Amino acid sequence: MLNIDQIRRTPDEVAAALARRGEEPDFVELLRLDEERRAAITERDTLRATHNQLSREFGQLMAASRSGGGEPARLEELRAETQAVNERVEDLGETIREAEATIETIMLELPNLPLDSTPDGLDESANTVASSWGEARSYGFTPMAHWDLGDKLGVIDMERGAKLSGARFYVLTGPAARLERALISWMLDVHTREHGYTEMALPAMVREQVMLGSGNLPKFGDNLYRDVEEDLWLLPTAEVALTGLHRDEILDPGALPIKYVAQTPCFRREKAAAGRDTRGIKRVHQFNKVEMYQLVEPEQGEAALDSLVEDASDLLRRLELPHRVLSLCAGDMGFQSARTYDIEVWSPGCEEWLEVSSCSTCTDFQARRSNIRYRPEAGARPQYPHTLNGSGLALPRVIIAVLETYQREDGSIETPAALRPYIGADAIV
RNA sequence: GGAGGGAUGGCCGAGCGGACUAUGGCGCCUGUCUUGAAAACAGGUGUGGGGAAACUCACCGUGGGUUCGAAUCCCACUCCCUCCGCCA
């Protein structure tokens, strides 16, 4: 959610910032409603003050009449007056409610403002490579893509995934299932022991309010699974639940920064990506992901974003997987993001870069939507923190990269050194 | 699923139609005292909206209702607790 005061004060600047994302916002209606709302509130408050006066007088007269005094005529007068005031207050309340409902509808659909440091550009062609690490290995044979490799080794069962649940579901068997479990344990251990995150185990289903708070609703309901009987939605990412954790809270002085890490299943309908990445497990309806999350004071926002990128990259370096960091342009970022870096790992079998992490600062956008505030110091006014999220990392694509990168000519898969204590063997298969 | 109890400010907790402008305690902040601290004492201390400000309005789980007037009465809902049933 943007700050409506900012739109009121500098509509042109806000519009220009949104235009960088390809949005063409029209604030005329919004500002008219805002004006209408504030005028109605002012009038209603004045009337309510009058009403409180009249009511107090009424009470005093009643008390007097009980002790023998009494002015029945004046009482009737007061009754009529307050009733008239009440009617007008009701009307104004209706005006205010309608204006606020429309304002909210408009505000909930406006994306976050990109940071100044976010590069210009309207689509992925304008993304730039910020850094890269490692060289693609050369093989004395043609490396296989994971869909062939997984099939040949019998460790990725696409057919039975479909049998159980349909297209874009899969089953990991034996060594691949174990590889995933090892990766999850290892990633969580590194983040909690070395990067300073607190591990969280979260519900995979959340209320609509939580989805609104993170920015996934109302605009992106198409991509979500939900329970039809209850008000419950399946997480597309742990970011949603982590944002909801402190909804409607005021965090105590000294509470920030907060750093969480959580592994959850992620559920995505992928309707918008129909036909894309249909082979293998690059794009599926359900996958596991380790997610990092930070709540920080605004001044720390950009440094915190760098730390997320660093914490995610660290894992890839330890896995010795060549990767690069992309700086996303304004038009290619997610709805709630102000600045995003994607991390892509090289996949020698598919011969493409796979996005295994996306690190973003949402500035105060989600904090406003979720009403998360913090008190900078005792007695100070509550303020909105910045929220940041970054994958660390998404499992299926890391599994792809490990299988494809570490494959050997004899068909076995070498265990990355970092995972040996978790796998307990030199070869995964 | 059934029966009962509950939800009030950062926390505990009073209030059960009319000065609630929400008692009191704890905590926190400021001051006095002190070399410093503690203690004691005094004052202050919720959130949000509107307003340049003075100030004003709203908020006692949520949403309705009754009334000139609701934390207080009525209805519905949500969540929590206790017990019963079922169950990994």
Side-chain angles (χ1 to χ4, degrees), chain A residues 349-415:
Chain A
C350 312
E351 295 190 287
E352 63 178 312
W353 293 99
L354 297 179
E355 181 188 329
V356 290
S357 177
S358 188
C359 301
S360 301
T361 175
C362 299
T363 56
D364 61 0
F365 186 82
Q366 290 178 323
R368 282 180 191 283
R369 284 185 166 241
S370 300
N371 194 29
I372 303 166
R373 287 162 300 164
Y374 75 101
R375 212 181 288 283
E377 46 198 280
R381 293 203 70 101
Q383 293 184 24
Y384 293 109
H386 282 193
T387 63
L388 301 96
N389 62 83
S391 346
L393 303 156
L395 269 305
R397 292 174 185 173
V398 175
I399 291 169
I400 293 172
V402 168
L403 293 179
E404 293 188 4
T405 303
Y406 284 88
Q407 62 184 300
R408 294 186 284 213
E409 191 157 18
D410 64 4
S412 65
I413 310 283
E414 182 191 351
T415 308

Side-chain angles (χ1 to χ4, degrees), chain A residues 165-185:
Chain A
S165 311
R168 291 195 194 274
F169 285 93
Y170 64 102
V171 173
L172 296 181
T173 70
R178 179 176 192 157
L179 171 61
E180 176 171 65
R181 181 160 55 84
L183 281 165
I184 290 169
S185 293

Side-chain angles (χ1 to χ4, degrees), chain A residues 128-143:
Chain A
T128 57
V129 177
S131 67
S132 57
W133 184 94
E135 294 286 324
R137 291 190 188 195
S138 52
Y139 297 82
F141 58 98
T142 306

Side-chain angles (χ1 to χ4, degrees), chain A residues 78-119:
Chain A
L78 285 173
R79 200 190 299 270
E81 261 182 76
T82 40
Q83 267 164 351
V85 169
N86 273 350
E87 277 175 36
R88 181 63 184 148
V89 165
E90 280 302 309
D91 288 350
L92 288 165
E94 188 57 27
T95 303
I96 293 163
R97 262 192 302 282
E98 280 172 17
E100 286 181 345
T102 311
I103 287 169
E104 192 188 10
T105 304
I106 296 170
M107 292 296 288
L108 283 175
E109 302 242 336
L110 291 173
N112 201 359
L113 306 179
L115 293 186
D116 290 342
S117 56
T118 296

Side-chain angles (χ1 to χ4, degrees), chain A residues 194-213:
Chain A
E194 300 180 42
H195 296 158
Y197 293 83
T198 302
E199 182 173 349
M200 307 292 278
L202 304 165
M205 307 178 93
V206 296
R207 304 168 183 279
E208 182 182 22
Q209 270 302 319
V210 177
M211 285 287 178
L212 283 165

